[in-house]
């Protein structure tokens, strides 16, 4: 048997036609469209349509897709009741994990893995993930969750439901773009977790519940919140050097830096850096961008490591006034479109995912009865 690869590094586990990554050249494409073309031109839901259907929607197709999803934003009554009973200090990613699982409990297509049922569930999941996150945000403040307003875009309605009042068009557009950038990324850990569950013929809600669990970790989606904590802890541009010196001495990972696949700039970071500069400046938080730039410069100079998608997204969300522990749920809001696409792709041409383990333990030991140990 071939030797194992720790962390499955470099292993090509299966095929996908959803997103393409060239880690050497720094290229990311959804269904053949470069992220550099999609980010400034497409909306999040336009990209979800592209991912699910393999082609860009026409204007009228996009309008009806948006409308169909907007009308499905309302949560099941049982989900809302369940969220009300979650401890007020619950981590929002844990609440989201429970929320999507509860939605599965009440979904009329819950156990149906047909392509038609999967698409219906995917639409509900993408439409309702923002509602779950916003409801959690309200409930933990002791406030009543707000009903969705289908006349608003998915991003604008999230801002309204989470904050209790509408935000600016600019804030909704910026949030929408981060969702697009987070939408899909090959066999990342959470997507792979979804596919492993789907490949057992597990249902879509079970699979995305696993995906939320995998994304929660700080080496994956949790990194955007940790990156913000780092930037705030550093506090001043002149602290970057000593802060990094101490971190490297303690062999601490710098959150928001490094990537398993990219050996050059993460193309998503290119867009988020630009957004971060603009939005932090507008919010009177330009210093946070300067600290970020200095961290980037010095980590690159000392370790040759680039920032990843999560690093500049942190200050984008900070400038938009998002509470830090909602950064990873927002990542999930975007990635839900990708997870559901991968589950549909897996179910459409399934084979159980079941790798072997390289056994490195002892063998052929002599049994010792319990009285003689
Ligand atoms: C993303 C990540 C898990 C990829 O890890 P990986 O492919 O297993 O890479 P490794 O951890 O083996 O890193 C290779 C080398 O770069 C270093 N490195 C990688 N990321 C680093 C980081 N963020 N800070 C400091 N050093 C880092 C490692 O210490 C290692 O150095 P060594 O060879 O001297 O031991 C890793 O870069 C990381 O932990 N980043 C921080 C968390 C993060 O931002 N996650 C979001 C990813 S989108």
């Amino acid at each position: 048997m071939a030797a194992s690869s720790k962390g499955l590094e470099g292993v090509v586990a299966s095929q996908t036609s959803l997103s393409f990554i060239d880690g050497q050249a720094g290229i990311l494409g959804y269904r053949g469209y470069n992220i550099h073309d999609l980010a400034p031109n497409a909306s999040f839901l336009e990209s979800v349509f592209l991912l699910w259907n393999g082609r860009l929607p026409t204007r009228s197709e996009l309008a009806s897709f948006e409308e169909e999803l907007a009308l499905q934003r309302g949560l099941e009554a049982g989900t809302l009741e369940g969220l009300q009973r979650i401890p007020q200090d619950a981590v929002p990613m844990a609440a989201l994990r429970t929320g999507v699982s509860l939605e599965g409990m009440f979904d009329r297509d819950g156990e149906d893995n047909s392509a038609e049922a999967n698409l219906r569930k995917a639409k509900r999941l993408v439409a309702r993930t923002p509602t779950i996150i916003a409801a959690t945000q309200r409930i933990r403040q002791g406030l009543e969750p707000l009903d969705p307003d289908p006349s608003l875009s998915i991003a604008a309605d999230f801002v309204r439901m989470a904050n209790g009042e509408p935000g600016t068009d600019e804030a909704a557009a910026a949030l929408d773009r981060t969702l697009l950038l987070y939408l899909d990324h090959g066999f990342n850990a959470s997507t792979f977790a979804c596919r492993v569950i789907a490949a057992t013929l597990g249902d879509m809600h079970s699979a995305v519940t696993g995906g939320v669990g995998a994304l929660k970790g700080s080496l994956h989606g949790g990194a955007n919140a940790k990156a913000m904590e780092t930037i705030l802890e550093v506090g001043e541009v002149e602290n970057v050097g000593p802060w990094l010196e101490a971190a490297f001495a303690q062999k601490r990972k710098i959150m928001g830096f490094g990537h398993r696949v990219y050996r050059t700039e993460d193309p998503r970071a290119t867009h988020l850096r630009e957004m971060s500069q603009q939005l932090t400046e507008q919010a009177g938080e330009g210093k946070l961008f300067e600290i970020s730039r200095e961290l980037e410069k010095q980590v690159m100079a000392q370790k040759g490591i680039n920032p990843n998608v999560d690093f500049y997204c942190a200050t984008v969300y900070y400038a938009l006034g998002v509470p830090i522990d909602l950064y990873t749920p927002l990542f999930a809001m975007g990635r839900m479109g990708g997870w559901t696409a991968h589950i549909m792709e897996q179910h459409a041409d399934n084979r159980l995912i079941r790798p072997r383990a390289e056994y490195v333990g002892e063998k052929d030991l002599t049994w010792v009865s319990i009285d003689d140990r």
Side-chain angles (χ1 to χ4, degrees):
M1 193 173 69
S4 59
S5 160
K6 200 166 181 193
L8 296 183
E9 181 161 4
V11 172
V12 178
S14 188
Q15 300 183 328
T16 182
S17 48
L18 298 171
S19 53
F20 167 77
I21 305 166
D22 181 335
Q24 297 295 331
I27 296 170
L28 169 62
Y30 298 159
R31 293 279 196 180
Y33 291 95
N34 195 302
I35 198 73
H36 294 318
D37 289 325
L38 292 170
N41 295 309
S43 70
F44 168 60
L45 286 183
E46 196 174 354
S47 308
V48 172
F49 184 102
L50 167 66
L51 212 56
W52 289 355
N53 296 284
R55 62 178 179 83
L56 291 166
T58 62
R59 196 182 292 280
S60 68
E61 281 174 333
L62 179 58
S64 47
F65 184 65
E66 286 170 346
E67 191 187 343
E68 190 187 354
L69 266 68
L71 293 170
Q72 302 195 49
R73 283 185 202 142
L75 300 180
E76 301 288 339
T79 304
L80 263 180
E81 268 170 46
L83 291 175
Q84 301 270 15
R85 299 170 74 116
I86 281 172
Q88 272 201 333
D89 60 351
V91 174
M93 274 302 273
L96 177 60
R97 190 187 59 218
T98 300
V100 296
S101 181
L102 277 168
E103 277 290 303
M105 198 90 78
F106 298 105
D107 197 295
R108 60 186 176 278
D109 291 317
E111 299 300 318
D112 186 347
N113 287 346
S114 67
E116 299 73 27
N118 270 352
L119 186 58
R120 290 194 294 271
K121 288 188 278 190
K123 287 175 180 169
R124 288 194 278 274
L125 278 162
V126 167
R128 293 178 190 183
T129 300
T131 321
I132 296 173
I133 301 166
T136 306
Q137 169 65 2
R138 298 276 297 173
I139 290 166
R140 69 175 171 167
Q141 293 173 283
L143 301 167
E144 275 299 307
L146 296 177
D147 288 332
D149 175 353
S151 71
L152 296 176
S153 75
I154 189 164
D157 203 21
F158 168 76
V159 172
R160 184 195 61 84
M161 286 190 286
N163 294 341
E165 54 190 39
T168 62
D169 289 349
E170 203 185 10
L175 174 60
D176 194 84
R177 188 174 293 182
T178 66
L179 300 178
L180 181 158
L181 292 167
Y182 272 139
L183 175 59
D184 195 38
H185 209 239
F187 280 9
N188 60 89
S190 58
T191 299
F192 193 60
C194 288
R195 287 193 79 127
V196 169
I197 296 169
T200 68
L201 297 183
D203 67 280
M204 184 172 276
H205 286 86
S206 298
V208 298
T209 301
V212 175
L215 189 74
K216 183 170 176 284
S218 60
L219 294 188
H220 190 10
N224 57 10
K226 294 280 175 205
M228 194 64 237
E229 287 167 13
T230 295
I231 295 161
L232 291 173
E233 192 184 313
V234 170
E236 299 293 337
V237 176
E238 53 272 24
N239 294 344
V240 167
W243 192 94
L244 279 178
E245 199 181 324
F248 289 144
Q250 293 161 19
K251 302 214 175 303
R252 272 162 46 201
K253 287 269 177 79
I254 316 302
M255 291 295 153
F257 284 87
H259 202 275
R260 177 60 68 77
V261 182
Y262 291 116
R263 290 293 164 256
T264 180
E265 167 124 329
D266 179 333
R268 301 165 298 177
T270 315
H271 296 276
L272 290 161
R273 185 191 290 107
E274 203 181 301
M275 291 167 72
S276 166
Q277 177 164 25
Q278 196 190 338
L279 292 165
T280 51
E281 215 163 271
Q282 280 170 13
E285 298 283 0
K287 188 171 83 176
L288 297 176
F289 181 75
E290 286 166 33
I291 295 169
S292 306
R293 280 299 273 168
E294 192 57 28
L295 274 165
E296 178 181 7
K297 240 170 59 193
Q298 294 201 27
V299 172
M300 179 45 92
Q302 294 182 50
K303 295 276 176 184
I305 299 174
N306 287 289
N308 57 48
V309 65
D310 292 315
F311 186 64
Y312 282 106
C313 197
T315 38
V316 166
Y317 286 157
Y318 192 90
L320 293 176
V322 179
I324 293 177
D325 59 4
L326 292 191
Y327 293 9
T328 313
L330 291 190
F331 186 155
M333 197 193 292
R335 190 56 57 88
M336 188 59 77
W339 290 333
T340 48
H342 278 268
I343 294 161
M344 291 189 276
E345 190 179 57
Q346 185 68 39
H347 278 169
D349 183 18
N350 190 53
R351 185 138 199 251
L352 179 74
I353 297 173
R354 203 300 186 191
R356 298 274 304 275
E358 181 186 0
Y359 178 70
V360 294
E362 297 195 82
K363 281 183 181 163
D364 301 328
L365 299 181
T366 306
W367 168 255
V368 184
S369 90
I370 198 158
D371 298 327
D372 298 333
R373 286 174 216 162

